[in-house]
Amino acid sequence: MPSHLSADRPAAQPPGRGSVDALISQTRRLKGDVDAVRRDSEGEESDHPRERWQRALYDLALHQLDDLDEHLAQLRDGPPPTTAAPEPRVPAQGSLLSRVGSAEWNLLTDEASWSGELYRILGRDPAAPPLTLDELPSLVLDEDRPKLTAMVTDCLVDARPIDGEFRIARRSGDVRTVHMMGEPVLDTDGSTASMWAVLRDVSELRRNQRAVSETRDSLHHRQEAARSEHRLAVELQEAVLPPWRGSLRLPHRGPRTLDLAAHHLPASTHTLIGGDWYDALELTDGETLLSVGDLTGQGVGVTSNMTMLLGAVRGMAMAGARPGQLMAWLNQLLDATVQPALGSAVCCRYRPATRTLMWAQAGHPAPLLFRDGTGRVLNAPDGVLLGATSGAVYGQAEETLEVGDLLLLHTDGLVPGHTGSAAANLLLALAPRLAGNRTAEDCVRTVVEEFGESEREDNACVLVAKVMS
């Protein structure tokens, strides 16, 4: 590549204007296309790492296209003047690479020649003489001087091209990153007569690249943290909570009165464990505790809170609390703490001697009862107070069951896209199919086959109890 500053060589001629103008037109069209894609992809402003990373990449691409446009214009118009310009060109606002200067150092006369833009890049007075190669390192940060020295030495001694970066400290006190590219100019005998170089201020480019890298790293770390929290939550659930599928085997002390099975259906759109639960416990008086519900939130915190809540529910039930009283005490407990926050719950206590089901609810779907191929929603207890204060009283209802009856408890979200009576009606429509199932686990499998394959926004639990005797 010939030097465009060498005194003993003719200046390089700019390429044909037509071909460069065509490149400029293509660049501007591409810039418009990128900007259109960026606007189409932008919704509401978000501080999520993925959105920050995308915005940084779009900005970097547009900046680089702006600079490519300007560089092609410079290429079309020819090289800049070789003498210091009293009024150097001001780069475009927000430009990354538009500040380009050039220089030549004559090794035979020890003279230097700088373009006006190089003075601006290096923060030098345009009226001052250009620095020689020996003086140039005085502008460079101490830790980068060996790099510059090695590049210049390789160029002058071994005729290697220069292509590297170093940082300079300008008189104003700011530090800039400079990219230097150059080649030796050989004399007729093959020795190096001079060295020319093009220097670019790439400080803004590097800053934008760091922003892209940092947002990418932030996104990666956030994803890793989410995966780690998910694994921890799963391990915690497996260690301290009931199994989230299959039958519930209780340590029966006498004849088996209930056949139990349950299942947990995770949300399709969430990567963290949610706060839905089910539980069954055989009490010391021979009765059985059944409960389902959900806590607000997700992740490890809600899993540990769920453990605490289930422990409290079991402890109060073992102490003899009936469902209505248990819900009131649970409300007082949660009202006195910051977390967990109870979304909803239904608590049942089954007395096998009389086949009596006692139950209470707090903002939760009522149990469904299936008998002889039909189903119905159990009537809600009187006096249920939702969102109550610590002095709340929860109503309690009773239902007498029969052998063969099927009780179904579930959390909101079991039927994707439906809640309340709409969800209950869809579940009740399964009555003929459930009547043909022999075990509680078969019934749960029927429910999961019907509603478990659909995309769901929330976690859900279903618990089935079949009266055996």
Side-chain angles (χ1 to χ4, degrees), residues 93-403:
Q93 181 69 28
S95 177
L96 299 179
L97 299 174
S98 60
R99 301 179 61 173
V100 180
S102 55
E104 184 168 357
W105 290 273
N106 191 309
L107 303 181
L108 303 179
T109 62
D110 202 27
E111 294 178 344
S113 179
W114 286 8
S115 70
E117 188 61 30
L118 184 56
Y119 277 87
R120 183 178 180 86
I121 291 173
L122 301 182
R124 302 286 294 176
D125 182 356
L131 299 180
T132 66
L133 280 177
D134 291 334
E135 296 170 331
L136 185 62
S138 64
L139 301 178
V140 181
L141 297 186
D142 291 344
E143 53 267 37
D144 289 358
R145 287 179 185 174
K147 184 189 305 183
L148 174 63
T149 300
M151 289 191 299
V152 171
T153 301
D154 289 343
C155 180
L156 299 181
V157 176
D158 300 325
R160 296 180 182 177
I162 292 177
D163 188 356
E165 293 182 5
F166 50 86
R167 292 165 298 167
I168 61 167
R170 302 200 297 192
R171 290 180 177 177
S172 60
D174 62 320
V175 175
R176 309 295 292 180
T177 301
V178 175
H179 187 186
M180 183 175 181
M181 298 182 67
E183 289 186 357
V185 178
L186 304 181
D187 207 345
T188 54
D189 60 359
S191 61
T192 303
S194 62
M195 188 189 83
W196 71 268
V198 173
L199 295 92
R200 301 182 297 170
D201 184 347
V202 295
S203 304
E204 295 304 313
L205 173 63
R206 297 297 173 250
R207 182 186 65 80
N208 277 263
Q209 289 175 333
R210 285 195 298 272
V212 171
S213 177
E214 288 169 1
T215 54
R216 182 183 62 241
D217 292 343
S218 175
L219 175 61
H220 174 73
H221 293 154
R222 186 165 178 167
Q223 291 172 335
E224 283 298 314
R227 283 192 285 267
S228 297
E229 186 174 358
H230 179 264
R231 289 193 296 269
L232 180 57
V234 171
E235 292 171 0
L236 183 59
Q237 283 189 337
E238 291 176 348
V240 300
L241 298 177
W244 289 133
R245 61 190 61 80
S247 60
L248 294 173
R249 303 189 182 281
L250 303 179
H252 300 288
R253 297 176 177 82
R256 187 179 183 187
T257 59
L258 289 179
D259 179 23
L260 299 173
H263 195 85
H264 174 267
L265 295 92
S268 305
T269 56
H270 293 167
T271 58
L272 298 181
I273 299 299
D276 289 54
W277 90 85
Y278 64 76
D279 190 29
L281 176 68
E282 188 173 284
L283 305 174
T284 54
D285 57 5
E287 298 181 1
T288 300
L289 172 72
L290 305 174
S291 67
V292 296
D294 66 89
L295 299 176
T296 58
Q298 293 180 326
V300 175
V302 76
T303 303
S304 60
N305 291 336
M306 192 191 308
T307 307
M308 181 194 76
L309 181 142
L310 285 179
V313 170
R314 287 182 166 195
M316 288 185 283
M318 291 292 287
R322 294 298 184 251
Q325 183 64 65
L326 189 152
M327 296 298 297
W329 287 348
L330 184 63
N331 185 78
Q332 293 181 35
L333 172 66
L334 298 181
D335 190 58
T337 60
V338 177
Q339 288 190 352
L342 182 64
S344 60
V346 61
C347 179
C348 304
R349 190 174 180 120
Y350 178 66
R351 182 180 301 151
T354 58
R355 299 196 191 97
T356 302
L357 179 75
M358 295 168 287
W359 66 282
Q361 66 180 151
H364 199 85
L368 305 181
L369 178 61
F370 296 86
R371 177 182 296 167
D372 299 328
T374 62
R376 64 181 176 89
V377 180
L378 294 187
N379 295 326
D382 295 330
V384 176
L385 301 180
L386 304 182
T389 62
S390 58
V393 176
Y394 287 86
Q396 178 175 293
E398 292 191 6
E399 188 79 24
T400 300
L401 303 183
E402 298 177 2
V403 175

Side-chain angles (χ1 to χ4, degrees), residues 38-83:
R38 180 185 64 171
R39 290 196 304 270
D40 289 343
S41 66
E42 286 179 347
E44 297 182 0
E45 287 295 318
S46 170
D47 198 42
H48 189 278
R50 180 178 294 278
E51 278 68 37
R52 293 202 306 269
W53 173 69
Q54 290 175 339
R55 289 197 297 269
L57 277 179
Y58 277 126
D59 289 343
L60 180 59
L62 288 172
H63 276 309
Q64 290 178 319
L65 288 171
D66 283 337
D67 294 316
L68 177 60
D69 185 3
E70 188 166 346
H71 288 330
L72 289 173
Q74 293 174 2
L75 182 64
R76 177 193 59 195
D77 298 337
T82 60
T83 57

